[in-house]
Structure formats: structure tokens, C-alpha cells
Amino acid sequence: MELFLKILLIIFSIGVITAVLLQEGKSAGLTGAISGGAEHLFGKAKARGMELVLERVTVVLAAGFFILAIAVAVAIK
């Protein structure tokens, strides 16, 4: 059981890394943070299509990663 959880944890960690790296950068450097950062904050530039799918996949994989990390820590004890 412990081995199975560790393998799942590795799979989820690779999935999270892949999903994060596939996403586009949301900032335009320092000037984007000062002038155009409010547009992203208040939702004028909403994610659509593949960006939305990647965001949701990242959230699901990250939640699964944290749950599995806790499960592995408990299983080791």
C-alpha cells in the first residue's frame, strides 16, 4: 500500500510540474504589474480554451498531490 501511494505521488508530482510548465506567463514584467495588473485581478482577461483547461487540471493535480503527500506521511508512521 505504501509503495502504491508513493508511485501515485510521483505521478501526480510529474503531472503538476507538466501542467504548470505548459501554462503561459500571466505577467508582463514590472510594467505589467504596475499598469496592467489590475486587468487580470478584476477579471477583464479571462482564461478561455486550453488555458482554462490547464488551470483546472493544475488545481486538481495540486489538490491530489497534497492529499497523497499527507497519506504517504501517515502511512509511513
Side-chain angles (χ1 to χ4, degrees):
M1 181 69 175
E2 183 181 333
L3 180 63
F4 176 71
L5 288 175
K6 286 182 180 180
I7 291 172
L8 269 179
L9 185 64
I10 291 170
I11 291 171
F12 269 77
S13 64
I14 292 171
V16 169
I17 291 169
T18 304
V20 168
L21 289 176
L22 285 175
Q23 292 180 13
E24 287 187 23
K26 301 228 191 290
S27 66
L30 186 58
T31 57
I34 294 172
S35 62
E39 291 179 9
H40 293 292
L41 181 64
F42 296 116
K44 290 185 180 179
K46 294 193 177 198
R48 294 192 177 164
M50 194 60 166
E51 292 177 21
L52 182 63
V53 171
L54 279 174
E55 285 181 19
R56 289 183 179 167
V57 166
T58 304
V59 168
V60 168
L61 286 173
F65 175 80
F66 285 116
I67 291 168
L68 281 171
I70 292 170
V72 167
V74 169
I76 290 175
K77 287 184 180 181

